[in-house]
Amino acid sequence: MSTARAFRVLQVRNLPPAAQARLEGIQEIEIVRPRDTSRAAMLDACESVDGVLSLLAEKIDRELLDRAGPTLKVVSTVSVGYDHIDVAECKARNIKIGNTPDVLTDATADLAVGLLIATARRFPEALRAVHEGTWGKWTPTWMCGTQLQNKSVGIVGLGRIGIEIALRLKAFKMGPLRYWGRQNRDGHEQVQAVGAKYCASLPELFATSDILIVACALTPETRHLIDLPLMQATRDHAILLNVARGSIIKQDDLVAALKEGKFQGGVGLDVTDPEPLSPQHELLQFDRVCVLPHIGSAALETREAMANLALDNLMQGLQGRPLTCSV
Ligand code: GLV
C-alpha cells in the first residue's frame, strides 16, 4: 500500500549527509528535485510545492512565488542571511520564512579572525612565493605584514557575529574596539564584556580605525554603505575585512580606493559582489587583497547544525506551527 506524502518540498542541492538522511527519512515529505540547478529548472519544478528548502545562491522572488502558487507555506533557508528572499512578498502571501542564526556564529567569527590574520600577515602572497619558487634567503623585511596587537578596530554591525569577532580580537590584545550600527548597545552585557564602545558616526569610525570589519546584515540601508568617500577617509595603512555580504561595499569604489593607495595593510573578503567572483576580476590583481569564496560557515559540524535547524523550521512551517527561528 502506498502512503500519500502530505507535503511536497523543493530541494535544489543536497544538505550535508546527516541532515540529508534525516530529510529523506521524513515520511510526510516528498522531495521535489529540479532537473538541474539552473534557475529555469527551479522555476519549472516549484509549481504547487508546499515548502522550499532555500540556499543563499537561489533567489526567492515574486516570480518564483507566483510559479509556486498558493500551496506554498514555508521557505526555509539554510543561512542566517535572507537577503536572497523577498520577505515583504512572502509576508503578503502568508508564507513563513525560517533562517538559521546562532548555530553559525562561532564558525563565522573564527573565519573572520583567520581571514584577518591571513590578510594582515600576507598569507596569499607568502603561499604564492612557496609554490612559485620565489622564496629566497631569509631577510629581515621580506613578507612583513602588520602586527595585530594594540590596533584600533572598527566593527560595522555588532550583532551576534560581530560580538564573537570582538571577543576573539580581545584575546589577540587588539583595541580599542569600537562599533557602528543602528543602535548604541553599550549597555548590553556582552558588549560590556568585550569593552566595545559605540561610535555614532561611520565616517569617524573609518577615519580613526586601523582595522575595519564589516559584519552587518545586508538590507536596503546597508547596500553600498561603504563607498569611495568613506574609504578615502581611512588611514592609508588600514585593513578592511568583509565577512557579511559583498554588496555592502561598493566594489568598484573599493578598486578605486586601492588604486589611490588605500588599504595598504590589506583587504580580506569572504564575500564579493557577485559570487563567484571572476578570476579575471580587477580586485584579484592587487597583492594585498585576500579573497575567500564565502566560506564563513563552512565547517561540517556547523553546516549540519544549520541544515537541521532549517529542517525543524521547514517541518514546523509545513505543519502550521511557529518556527524555531523565523524572519
Ligand atoms: C551565510 O552567509 C549565511 O547567511 O548563512
Side-chain angles (χ1 to χ4, degrees), residues 151-158 166 175-180 186 194-201 204-213 235:
K151 293 294 186 302
S152 56
V153 179
I155 301 179
V156 180
L158 199 70
L177 302 177
R178 287 172 308 149
Y179 66 97
W180 175 90
D186 283 2
V194 292
K197 290 273 174 278
Y198 185 59
C199 175
S201 153
E204 186 191 323
L205 190 75
F206 267 62
T208 55
S209 299
D210 298 311
I211 293 168
L212 290 150
I213 303 178
R235 297 169 170 173

Side-chain angles (χ1 to χ4, degrees), residues 56 79-81 104 245 294 306:
L56 284 177
S79 61
V80 62
L104 47 60
R245 285 292 183 271
H294 201 150
M306 290 165 70

Side-chain angles (χ1 to χ4, degrees), residues 29 41 43 52 63 67 118 219 226 289 311:
I29 288 183
L43 286 175
V52 174
E63 184 187 23
R67 289 286 286 272
T219 64
I226 295 168
V289 174
L311 289 181

Side-chain angles (χ1 to χ4, degrees), residues 56 77-84 99-101 104 108 161 243-245 270-271 275 294-297 303 306:
L56 284 177
T77 183
V78 190
S79 61
V80 62
Y82 46 84
D83 46 280
H84 56 299
N99 72 333
T100 64
L104 47 60
T108 308
I161 294 172
V243 294
R245 285 292 183 271
D270 183 42
V271 287
E275 292 177 5
H294 201 150
I295 55 169
S297 65
R303 288 284 166 83
M306 290 165 70

Side-chain angles (χ1 to χ4, degrees), residues 23-144:
L23 171 63
E24 287 169 14
I26 301 175
Q27 291 302 312
E28 301 95 309
I29 288 183
E30 176 194 338
I31 303 172
V32 177
R33 303 294 296 236
R35 60 184 178 277
D36 56 47
T37 55
S38 67
R39 166 88 178 163
M42 189 173 166
L43 286 175
D44 287 343
C46 75
E47 269 167 43
S48 347
V49 293
D50 301 284
V52 174
L53 255 180
S54 149
L55 304 175
L56 284 177
E58 293 136 11
K59 279 214 171 313
I60 307 294
D61 54 9
R62 188 188 291 245
E63 184 187 23
L64 186 135
L65 298 176
D66 282 345
R67 289 286 286 272
T71 50
L72 187 57
K73 299 173 186 62
V74 57
V75 173
S76 175
T77 183
V78 190
S79 61
V80 62
Y82 46 84
D83 46 280
H84 56 299
I85 301 173
D86 187 334
V87 175
E89 199 55 43
C90 285
K91 294 214 159 154
R93 296 169 192 229
N94 235 347
I95 298 167
K96 289 185 176 155
I97 304 171
N99 72 333
T100 64
D102 296 320
V103 291
L104 47 60
T105 301
D106 281 319
T108 308
D110 290 350
L111 190 283
V113 176
L115 180 57
L116 174 58
I117 297 174
T119 304
R121 298 294 299 276
R122 305 172 65 178
F123 283 10
E125 286 171 90
L127 284 168
R128 268 198 302 277
V130 174
H131 287 276
E132 292 170 2
T134 55
W135 175 12
K137 281 238 181 298
W138 192 95
T139 73
T141 53
W142 188 65
M143 279 297 161
C144 280

